[in-house]
Structures are given as C-alpha cells and as structure tokens.
Amino acid sequence: MLWRTAAVAWLVLVACVPAFAQAPADEGLPPTLRLPSDVRPTHYALTMTIVPGKTTAPGEITIDIALDRPHSTVWLNAVALTVSRVLVDGAETHPRIDDRADQFVGLAFDPPLPAGDHRVTLAFEAQQSSNSARGLFTVKDGGAWYTLTQFEAIAARRAFPCFDEPALKAPWQLTLRVPRELTAVANAPVVTEKAIGDGMKEVQFAETKPLPSYLVAFAVGPFDIVDAGNVGVGDHTTSLRIVVAGGHARDVRFAAEAIPQLLQEEELWLGVAYPFAKLDHLAIPLNVRFAMENAGLITYGAPILLAPRAATPPFRHGLANVAAHEMAHQWFGDLVTMAWWDDVWLNEAFATWFADKIVDAWQPGYEHGAGRVHERADAIEADSLSSARRIRQPIETRSDIANAFDAITYSKGATVLGMFEGWLGDDAFRRGVLGYLDAHRYASATADDFLGALSVASAKPVAPAFATFLDQNGVPQVRVGLDCSAKPVQLSLAQHRHVAAGERAGLQRWDIPVCVRYGNGGTSHDACTLLTVPVAKLELQGDCPAFVFANAGARGYYIPEYSPSLLAALRSHRQVLTTPELASIVYDMRPLLRAGAVDVAQALDWMRAGAAADERAVVAAALDVARFIRDDAVAPKTRPRFDRFVHQVFGERARALGFVARSGESDDDALLRRDLLRFAAAGDPVLARKARALAMAWIRDRKAVDPALADTALFVAAQNGDARLFDAMMHALRTSTDGIDRRSLMVALLSFRDPSLSQRALGMLLDPTLDVRDVTTALGIAAGIGPPSRAPYDFIVAHFDALAARIDRDAPARWPYYAAALCSSDDRAAVESFWRPRAARYAGAERNLAETLEAIDACARLRVREGANVDAYLARSLRSVNASRGASRSRSSSN
C-alpha cells in the first residue's frame, strides 16, 4: 500500500455546510491518471524536517485550494506517504483517508466540502530513498550524507501530498528544519535562519513565483558554495552560485566562469531578464547523467558540473550544452509551463533548440553550427520505427508520461523548430517566441498557444503545417529528381513515409518546408517551397546545375532520396557543401540503406568520404554510419573482416592522433581523438598496448595520464583486458573515493569482453557495497559507447528479481533496450516471451519493449538483405588494398 495511515477515521468537520451542497455520485472513485479539474491549489506552505542519511522525513503541508463546486472527496497525488493528521480551515478533523489507488490519496468529507476557498493542512512522513534518484533521496559522499530532490515528471508526490500536474501552478513557501551544521538550499533565497534546539535549525525561504510541483527543489548537506557573480539585463541582476559537496569547490572553476556568460547570451537573445529571484547550480554527488531545470536551483549529475583535475574539451563542451539547455528552461518550462505532458516538447524541444543556438553564439568554434545535425540524425533513427511516439503524443497513462522524455521530444522537436525557423525567417520566428513567452508569463500554455503566436508574428498559417509534424509519427522521405530538359529547369519532389525496404509506407503526408541549394562551380542558389502534396515540381534558376543538395543548411526534418546521378554529383562536389550539409548526407546513409534507397556499397563509400573529411562533425557522422553497419548489417562471421576494414578507414588517423595530446591542439582534435580511439583502438594492436600501459599507469598514479584521455584509455584497455588488468581496476575502484574516477573505472570494468570477466563486472549490480545508482549509470554508458554485447541483457534476465529489488520501482522499464543489441528471430522470440508478462508492472516498459522488438526485427532483416553485399564490398576493398601494397613493393624493388 503506497499511502499508509494508522487507522481509518471518520471526519468531524467544524464548518457551515449549506443544505443544498451535493457532489457527483461517482466522485468517490479514485482518479486513473488526472486529478479532477474543479479543484485547484492557489498556495502551498511546506515544512519538512530533513536529516540526510535517515530513511524518513516528516513534514507538514498547508494547501490553499479553490473548489468550483461541493466535493465529497478531494483527491491529491501521493506515493508511499504516511498521513497522521489533517486540518481543514483551521479545524482538526478526522476524514476518511481513501488510499485504494496507486498515485492518489482521497480526503472524504461527509457532508461534502462546499464550493469556495479552503485551507487543508496534512502532517505526513516521506521516505528518503537510497536506491533511486527520484523523489526525495539521500546519498553519501566523502563520508558525509546529503539529501536532494528530483521531482520531474511525477515524483513530487513521493515527497509530499500535492496536486502533481504541470498546469496547477501556485506560489510555494518552503521551510526546512535541518541539522545546525548543514546548509539548505531551495528554489528561492533564504529569508530567515534560526536555531530551534536539539542541534537543529529552521531555514525559511522566500515565497516563489507560481510553480508546478515538479519544479520544486531543495537540498541539504555540508555543501560548499562558490559565488559565480551577477548577470543582468537593464536594472535587473541575478545572483549566481555553484553549490557542491564539501571539498569540491576547486572543481568548478570552469563552471563558475562559463555559466554566467551563457546566461548573459540567453538574456540578450530573449531581451527578457531571468525571471526568478536567484539561480543556483548544484552538483548532485552521484554519477547520474541527468540535469534538472528546477526554478532557481538547477541540479546536475556531478560529472557534468565538476572537473577535478582539468576542464578537458569533452567536459567543457558537455557542460556548455547542458547548462545552456537547463537555463533555457527557466523561460521555456518554468516561466511558461506546458499545460499537460502531451506538450512537454514545449519545454524540452525548445531548450534543445535554444541551447544549440546559445552555445554557437558563445563559442562558435565549439560545434561550428553542426550540433543540430547529430540531433536530427538521432531523431530520424528513433522515428524510423512504426512504434515511435509522436512529438505531441496523447498522454493516457502513467507510462505515456514516462515515455515522453525521449529523442522524439528532444531531438525531433528541436529539429522541427529549427526547420520552421528557417521557413518563417529568424526574425519572425523570434518575434513569435517572445510573444508566446510574454503572453503566458508564470502561467501555462499549449501547442496551440505557441503556434498562434508564430502565426501572428509571421503572418503565415503556421499551425496546419507544423501540426503534420507534431501529430503523427514517422519521418518523411523526399525523392528528388532533376529535369534539365524542362524550361525552366525543374526538380521533382515526391514525399512518402520512410520505412524499411519491403514495408508499406502507408498514406501519410506532411507539409514540408523543403529548401534546396544548387549551383555550378563556386556559385549556388537557394530555392524553397512548402511541399503539401505527394508530388510537386520546383523551378530552378539558370542552366542545368552541376549539383543539387535538397536540404539547404541541413535544417529540414526529412530525408532526401537522390537519383543515382544526383547522388554521384554530390560526391564529386562535396567541397561546396557546408559542414552541417556534408555531415547530414553522411548520416542519411543509415536510413537510406535501411529503406533500400542506397546499397551498402554506396553507404560505405560515403562513410569513407566522411572519414577523410577535415571537419569533426563529418567524421563523427562517418563513425555513426560505421557503427550502424557493423551492428546491424554485418553477420558475426564477417565481423573480423569488417574490423580490419574499419582499421583501414579510421586507423591511420587514430594512430596519428594517438593517446598523447599535442601542445596547442584544437578542441576538435581532442574530441575527434576520443571518438576515434573509442571506436577503432581496440582492434589496433599498437594502440591497444598503449591503452593498457596508460591504464596501468593511471591506476598507480592519477596524474600520470592526461585527464582528457584517462577514461578512454581505461575503456580501450578493458576491451582486450585480462584478469590481471581486471583485478587492478577492481582494486582501484574499491579504494578510490573520487566519484568521477569511480565512474570511469565502473565503465571500463563493464566493457571487458572476456565472458568470465564480463560476468564478474556485471556482478557489481548486485554488490551491496556499491551504490546501485552509480553502477546502473555506468552500465548505460558502457553499452552506449561499446560494441554490441548480449552479456548485460542475459545477466538482467538471469537475475531479474534480485536486480529489480535493488533499484527504483520503475527503473526496470528501460531494461528492454539492452536487448536491442540482439539481431535474430530467435532472440526476438525470447525477449518477447520474457517481457510480455512483466512489462505492465513498470511505467513505460510496454512501449520500450515494442520499440526493442521492432529494432531486433529491422536488424535481422537488414542482415539477411545486405550480408552478402557487405562480404562482397569487403572483399573488393581488401583486394584493392593488397594490390596497392603490391604495387608499392614493386616500385620499391625497381628503385
């Protein structure tokens, strides 16, 4: 039972109840998802006693509510709380507590509580979790305990009774009673702090602006606080601080420098001052990979915010993007909040789109304007599945909320925003965004509100076209042909849904802003149209162009499918493409190969062209195509030959960059080194030996290896590692107290390929001496950067019940994704058989399972279709290399 009381009591309410007060007969039934709309909170006053390390936290919450009609039962959200006392309008009462339903608690009134304003106070006790990073949780770092919160999406109800829905915004007055020696922080500044006896103190915070419950946040512990200065627009200035676990103040030098500059860039673009009283950035002393945009108190997993030894290029680029994203939310999500979770893209897509823009403005050399291209590619991969969500997916169950935080919401949403920004023009789009924010300050809004603001600002009918991307899943594929016999020259454009070869595309249609760039030699022109019909023509200027690139600027959320001659022309004119454009066409080889629009030889040729590019973003695209073909098109028996081919394509560059940074090298070289070594070094004997030597040196002395390369050296060394190396890493893990070092070691240990060592590493998931939150985070990282392995999934299946008992109640929902590395019909049947009886237990698991099963099917079909073609291509490639070597030897002999 999730809401517990000592006894069931009947209400004695001291109130004047009109004789005509009646409530609907079915009101006593618990809600299934949403709370009744005719009860609204107007103010919260929350007091909690927080002692970090304890298992519980008592509290009292007073909620001012407005009833549109009489209610016999007032429903609130609550999970795993114990209520001991209830007051209504100042009178102590004994309502009947209805705790029949998960996620809810009802206060039953007889006679009904009349319409109007009321004040309800509940005394309660919450759980402090030590195996979750959701709700109210506690963690130990450096021998000291900390308590923190993470309430998005629906975990505030784990900490206190509330109306836990995004549209129900109200001011919050928070008071914390904490041990006297500890520091407490929350959304708003401290107003008063006083001793209250028994070694405790009471910290009262200023009242917040209206917030939904999921944006409330607080933290208690022996924190160090670093002043990051003030930022402001006009007369308004905002105080910024960095809050870290004790002893880590020296690790935030870069954060304290970069964050104020990023906030200033955001304020300059928006022309609107930061909308809350102060802004703290807090490092959660865990290796979790999330950050959270709580108003006035942004929280980050420690590795995102802390740089213990050096602010390496991967760290700096990562922090800039995450901090810009979370600060963007202070406007997109906190100032203006979506009315319901079906519009969470108004938060996440906006923040993703805006963060790319802000980082490019702040440091143009970081991503060279190409960051959005990787997001577009990720979105297309997710959207290629028939089971993919829509951007604006109806939210009908708690699972739908859990599934909403995915690549469709973030990356597809951001790409679609960028596409329509390009169609409307940057200035008109900006006016629409600012009008939307101004009209809904400290309130809630919907997609219709945003699209209406864009329509007013641009004088274009935005909503119908935008809705074709919001309200259906899938990505359009646009077949492009060139007719130079027509006068004027014409492009033919034909749209259909992207599907795998052999599948029916259906009758879906989009209103697509298609922009093309075409030209001859050094001159080019742009032409744009809104493609609203299945087939259309686009007239071009001048003579027959030498090249046509059908996604100018790589801003469009569609996949151009070129005729063979147009694709060949792009290969020979790739020097005229911008970095985002060239990267996008390389990335598009993945969906085009899946669709059968190119063959594997064409995809691998484009991969090789991308691998030879100077631009890091293009090489990154080539690496992703290589991973896709390795994982989905190459049969196990062909893997050794494919690995030799990868060595030919990427090995020379990986060896040239090596494991030693050059003085004065660019961030691009440092980041490219990391990507290339992670992908190709394990198969190169020279690099593998170097990685092992560096790993052993780092284990002996953390200063012996460049901080930018330590985690890469450990990861590469582990892939070919033996028991001696494994034992050395495990000993280092057991003796290290540095959280980020421990994460690097866990990731490396979980990357060993030797079956017996892999099983020992996976045993960390069941080790009670390790924080399971850190181990599961490391497993996710290892699975994401390493070659496919079935070992994690098989371990999860073999130890499912024991693992599920160790972690958060809904965490197993994501475990089906570990089966995505499998690629046969037998594997698919086994995965489905195991998960069908279990998926319904965990919010979000059923859709995750459907996507995993579809991915296994797609992989199996692609291997059958392209396996022989891969073999033939590799054979030709190796013959070409051998012939080249033979010719070189002949020339040497003749000389």
Side-chain angles (χ1 to χ4, degrees):
M1 185 176 296
L2 299 175
W3 181 284
R4 295 185 290 273
T5 58
V8 175
W10 288 98
L11 171 70
V12 178
L13 176 62
V14 181
C16 179
V17 183
F20 56 82
Q22 294 183 358
D26 62 351
E27 184 181 80
L29 295 177
T32 56
L33 180 64
R34 302 190 68 167
L35 295 165
S37 61
D38 49 11
V39 182
R40 299 177 308 283
T42 58
H43 186 272
Y44 289 92
L46 172 65
T47 299
M48 295 192 72
T49 299
I50 302 294
V51 179
K54 296 290 188 181
T55 58
T56 59
E60 181 177 279
I61 189 165
T62 297
I63 312 174
D64 292 345
I65 60 174
L67 275 62
D68 290 347
R69 58 169 180 80
H71 275 259
S72 61
T73 304
V74 172
W75 292 99
L76 297 87
N77 292 112
V79 172
L81 302 176
T82 302
V83 173
S84 58
R85 190 167 59 98
V86 177
L87 282 77
V88 178
D89 295 332
E92 186 159 357
T93 63
H94 302 282
R96 181 172 60 85
I97 306 297
D98 190 335
D99 57 3
R100 290 173 289 168
D102 186 22
Q103 308 296 317
F104 302 98
V105 62
L107 305 179
F109 297 94
D110 184 14
L113 195 62
D117 296 334
H118 299 277
R119 175 165 290 178
V120 178
T121 299
L122 301 96
F124 63 92
E125 186 172 76
Q127 304 296 310
Q128 292 201 73
S129 174
S130 60
N131 67 350
S132 171
R134 293 291 182 267
L136 184 67
F137 63 95
T138 190
V139 60
K140 195 173 188 180
D141 181 82
W145 284 98
Y146 298 80
T147 290
L148 307 105
T149 61
Q150 168 60 32
F151 293 155
E152 192 179 37
I154 53 172
R157 63 191 67 180
R158 300 187 189 190
F160 41 77
C162 58
F163 294 82
D164 201 9
E165 294 187 7
L168 300 178
K169 300 176 74 169
W172 290 74
Q173 174 76 63
L174 180 63
T175 301
L176 296 179
R177 294 168 179 160
V178 305
R180 190 177 302 168
E181 70 278 9
L182 300 185
T183 298
V185 294
N187 301 95
V190 173
V191 175
T192 63
E193 186 171 310
K194 62 181 181 181
I196 56 174
D198 295 326
M200 302 288 285
K201 65 182 177 182
E202 183 175 274
V203 183
Q204 184 178 9
F205 298 89
E207 183 176 282
T208 71
K209 296 291 188 179
L211 295 176
S213 52
Y214 83 87
L215 288 174
V216 173
F218 54 86
V220 178
F223 290 110
D224 288 345
I225 296 180
V226 177
D227 184 354
N230 295 281
V231 170
V233 170
D235 295 332
H236 179 91
T237 61
T238 301
S239 169
L240 282 83
R241 305 185 305 174
I242 315 294
V243 183
V244 296
H248 290 283
R250 65 185 183 280
D251 300 337
V252 297
R253 286 187 292 272
F254 177 77
E257 172 188 328
I259 285 173
Q261 296 174 22
L262 288 163
L263 180 61
Q264 186 171 42
E265 290 286 350
E266 296 193 344
E267 288 189 329
L268 286 172
W269 192 94
L270 292 162
V272 178
Y274 171 76
F276 300 100
K278 56 91 177 173
L279 182 55
D280 292 341
H281 297 256
L282 184 147
I284 301 169
L286 275 175
N287 287 322
V288 291
R289 291 191 289 172
F290 67 78
M292 179 60 203
E293 66 269 19
N294 312 299
L297 180 59
I298 298 173
T299 54
Y300 306 77
I304 301 171
L305 202 60
L306 305 183
R309 296 185 181 87
T312 64
F315 171 81
R316 287 188 280 106
H317 287 233
L319 173 61
N321 187 269
V322 174
H325 179 107
E326 301 306 329
M327 288 192 291
H329 274 306
Q330 304 298 301
W331 291 270
F332 303 111
D334 297 7
L335 177 64
V336 181
T337 308
M338 71 278 172
W340 182 236
W341 296 108
D342 55 350
D343 275 329
V344 70
W345 72 278
L346 288 172
N347 291 15
E348 301 300 349
F350 261 104
T352 303
W353 162 81
F354 196 52
D356 288 339
K357 184 182 296 292
I358 292 305
V359 173
D360 284 342
W362 177 60
Q363 293 286 352
Y366 266 26
E367 300 301 332
H368 309 283
R372 67 180 186 275
V373 181
H374 182 77
E375 290 159 4
R376 171 185 174 272
D378 281 350
I380 288 172
E381 286 301 288
D383 216 11
S384 295
L385 301 174
S386 63
S387 54
R389 293 177 56 259
R390 313 172 203 174
I391 295 178
R392 186 164 58 184
Q393 179 75 30
I395 301 295
E396 298 170 348
T397 67
R398 194 163 59 91
S399 286
D400 291 331
I401 299 174
N403 293 133
F405 296 85
D406 66 352
I408 299 299
T409 291
Y410 288 73
S411 299
K412 179 179 178 179
T415 304
V416 171
L417 284 171
M419 177 173 65
F420 279 92
E421 179 186 28
W423 181 52
L424 298 177
D426 291 356
D427 290 342
F429 193 85
R430 182 173 179 269
R431 288 196 303 271
V433 169
L434 298 185
Y436 162 75
L437 292 175
D438 185 61
H440 303 283
R441 290 175 62 86
Y442 304 112
S444 297
T446 67
D448 291 340
D449 295 321
F450 169 63
L451 298 179
L454 285 186
S455 297
V456 169
S458 66
K460 288 185 178 181
V462 178
F466 213 110
T468 65
F469 288 88
L470 288 180
D471 295 332
Q472 60 182 338
N473 70 353
V475 56
Q477 188 165 313
V478 178
R479 190 175 297 115
V480 183
L482 178 64
D483 183 1
C484 289
S485 65
K487 300 301 177 188
V489 175
Q490 292 183 340
L491 277 185
S492 61
L493 303 171
Q495 64 163 294
H496 64 276
R497 177 176 176 148
H498 165 68
V499 295
E503 294 183 2
R504 292 179 59 85
L507 299 176
Q508 285 179 261
R509 181 191 59 77
W510 290 262
D511 292 356
I512 311 169
V514 174
C515 287
V516 303
R517 194 158 68 83
Y518 60 97
N520 291 282
T523 63
S524 65
H525 306 278
D526 290 348
C528 297
T529 187
L530 187 66
L531 181 61
T532 62
V533 293
V535 179
K537 301 287 187 180
L538 177 62
E539 294 181 353
L540 306 183
Q541 300 177 21
D543 297 330
C544 190
F547 74 91
V548 174
F549 183 74
N551 187 5
R555 298 182 79 160
Y557 189 70
Y558 55 90
I559 306 164
E561 177 192 340
Y562 300 94
S563 67
S565 60
L566 286 177
L567 190 60
L570 281 171
R571 279 282 305 280
S572 60
H573 289 82
R574 60 183 180 271
Q575 73 278 359
V576 305
L577 301 180
T578 67
T579 297
E581 289 171 344
L582 182 54
S584 75
I585 196 170
V586 175
Y587 276 123
D588 283 351
M589 290 300 114
R590 292 187 300 188
L592 290 171
L593 177 60
R594 187 185 297 111
V598 300
D599 59 33
V600 77
Q602 291 172 297
L604 288 169
D605 283 345
W606 273 98
M607 182 209 76
R608 297 182 81 153
D614 294 329
E615 303 91 343
R616 173 171 59 89
V618 181
V619 181
L623 285 166
D624 271 9
V625 172
R627 289 188 191 94
F628 168 69
I629 293 174
R630 177 197 67 187
D631 297 350
D632 283 33
V634 175
K637 64 181 178 61
T638 309
R639 268 294 298 277
R641 278 195 296 150
F642 188 81
D643 288 345
R644 290 197 295 274
F645 168 71
V646 165
H647 179 68
Q648 293 170 15
V649 175
F650 296 103
E652 182 177 352
R653 197 165 190 171
R655 288 192 300 276
L657 289 169
F659 279 100
V660 179
R662 297 186 299 274
S663 175
E665 72 177 7
S666 67
D667 280 8
D668 282 338
D669 280 347
L671 293 164
L672 187 56
R673 170 188 294 110
R674 188 173 189 239
D675 289 345
L676 285 169
L677 291 175
R678 283 179 168 184
F679 183 69
D684 183 309
V686 174
L687 290 173
R689 285 195 296 271
K690 181 64 173 177
R692 181 186 177 96
L694 288 172
M696 294 301 290
W698 182 88
I699 289 170
R700 290 189 295 270
D701 178 5
R702 300 295 192 269
K703 297 180 181 179
V705 179
D706 183 345
L709 294 170
D711 62 343
T712 300
L714 291 169
F715 168 74
V716 173
Q719 291 184 74
N720 297 314
D722 56 16
R724 178 170 172 265
L725 180 63
F726 185 96
D727 290 340
M729 288 187 181
M730 184 62 77
H731 177 73
L733 174 65
R734 299 292 184 188
T735 55
S736 174
T737 58
D738 183 277
I740 296 175
D741 287 350
R742 288 170 62 81
R743 182 186 68 167
S744 296
L745 287 161
M746 287 181 185
V747 171
L749 287 163
L750 290 161
S751 301
F752 275 77
R753 293 179 182 175
D754 178 275
S756 63
L757 299 177
S758 174
Q759 289 299 301
R760 287 178 59 191
L762 289 163
M764 292 190 295
L765 291 163
L766 295 171
D767 187 336
T769 67
L770 299 174
D771 192 313
V772 69
R773 296 167 291 194
D774 284 341
V775 184
T776 53
T777 298
L779 179 62
I781 295 171
I785 63 176
S789 170
R790 65 178 304 130
Y793 180 73
D794 288 345
F795 188 89
I796 287 169
V797 169
H799 303 278
F800 186 88
D801 290 340
L803 288 169
R806 288 206 73 207
I807 60 173
D808 183 67
R809 54 178 278 174
D810 285 323
R814 300 194 62 81
W815 290 353
Y817 286 137
Y818 285 106
L822 309 181
C823 193
S824 73
S825 57
D826 288 345
D827 284 330
R828 186 209 190 277
V831 171
E832 183 170 27
S833 175
F834 180 82
W835 274 100
R836 282 296 177 208
R838 293 174 172 82
R841 303 177 196 168
Y842 307 106
E846 290 173 302
R847 182 179 290 276
N848 298 342
L849 174 61
E851 292 178 352
T852 296
L853 295 176
E854 190 177 350
I856 295 172
D857 285 339
C859 177
R861 286 195 302 268
L862 187 63
R863 279 192 188 173
V864 169
R865 195 184 86 218
E866 294 292 342
N869 297 331
V870 172
D871 289 344
Y873 185 92
L874 295 178
R876 290 196 302 272
S877 176
L878 293 173
R879 282 198 301 270
S880 175
V881 170
N882 291 335
S884 177
R885 288 174 177 168
S888 178
R889 285 195 295 268
S890 296
R891 287 192 297 271
S892 298
S893 299
S894 63
N895 291 334

